Amino acid sequence: MPAVAPAAPRSRVVVLLSGAGTLCAALLAATDDAGYPAEVVAVGADRPDAAGLAAARDRGIDTFVTPLRAHPDRASWDRALAAELTTRRPDWVVCAGFMKLLGPAVLSALGGRVVNTHPALLPSFPGAHAVRDALAAGVDTTGATVHLVDAGLDTGPVLAQRAVPVLPGDDEARLHERIKTVERELLVHTLADLVTRAQAGPTPDRPQESTR
């Protein structure tokens, strides 16, 4: 009987969040499937009261908090965050509703391996108020993007996008909830694709854009 090749080790993922952690929860649920190619080994936040930390703690997952206000300036905070991340030896870092820009210390340590989600079809409507800005612009379609993080504001290479229609009567909260539903699924599938490609060979300098 031929020997069965061992399964590839699951990639180590650290998730960063700032709030309720619904994107993180979607990833944690996906990793319950032993066939999912990644596992969440730690969850970090910039706020000690971030509700998303509780779901990780309930699963026995390592958590950490690196608040900006605990450091004299943004550069020292960025260095502290880089130290927290690298200590956990991640293959990938996922910003899942993390409301802080990553600086040069993190990007130099983990550049090309940090993934972010954004509630718009980049390059349209970058920044913290993407849903509000889409409504103000009167567009009939917005959506969700998963991209790699670079030194700019939501300017990194796009990995995947999915459109979400703007419906009559939409306000910011209603539209954002529909986008978040799409965003969660898109993140789970895109991360799996990205990890699988990386396990198969060297990660390309600019991943191919895919639309789901």
Side-chain angles (χ1 to χ4, degrees):
M1 182 175 179
V4 177
R10 300 171 95 185
S11 291
R12 297 170 59 85
V13 173
V14 175
V15 177
L16 295 175
L17 53 82
S18 294
T22 58
L23 285 162
C24 180
L27 276 181
L28 291 174
T31 62
D32 287 340
D33 179 352
Y36 193 77
E39 62 175 334
V40 176
V41 297
V43 176
D46 60 318
R47 296 168 38 195
D49 60 345
L53 293 171
R57 292 181 184 130
D58 289 346
R59 289 171 172 257
I61 294 172
D62 176 32
T63 63
F64 63 94
V65 179
T66 310
L68 180 58
R69 65 173 178 265
H71 299 274
D73 53 41
R74 198 165 191 109
S76 61
W77 170 81
D78 184 52
R79 290 191 296 270
L81 181 59
E84 291 281 9
L85 291 169
T86 55
T87 294
R88 290 162 173 86
R89 299 179 293 106
D91 297 303
W92 299 93
V93 174
V94 174
C95 296
F98 188 61
M99 303 306 291
K100 294 286 188 297
L101 289 176
L102 300 178
V106 171
L107 294 178
S108 64
L110 295 157
R113 295 186 287 132
V114 184
V115 177
N116 185 49
T117 70
H118 185 74
L121 296 175
L122 293 173
S124 298
F125 312 118
H129 306 295
V131 180
R132 183 189 311 172
D133 293 345
L135 285 170
V139 297
D140 58 13
T141 302
T142 184
T145 299
V146 178
H147 66 99
L148 294 178
V149 174
D150 64 9
L153 177 61
D154 298 324
T155 55
V158 169
L159 299 171
Q161 294 183 311
R162 189 176 297 175
V164 174
V166 180
L167 302 180
D170 268 347
D171 58 17
E172 185 176 355
R174 179 180 169 186
L175 177 56
H176 202 179
E177 281 304 314
R178 290 207 318 282
I179 292 172
K180 285 192 289 187
T181 298
V182 169
E183 200 174 10
R184 290 190 287 268
E185 182 181 348
L186 191 64
L187 174 61
V188 167
H189 286 286
T190 304
L191 181 64
D193 289 346
L194 186 63
V195 166
T196 300
R197 290 201 305 271
Q199 289 173 344
T203 303
D205 291 337
R206 184 180 178 91
Q208 291 183 349
E209 180 176 343
S210 60
T211 302
R212 294 182 171 274

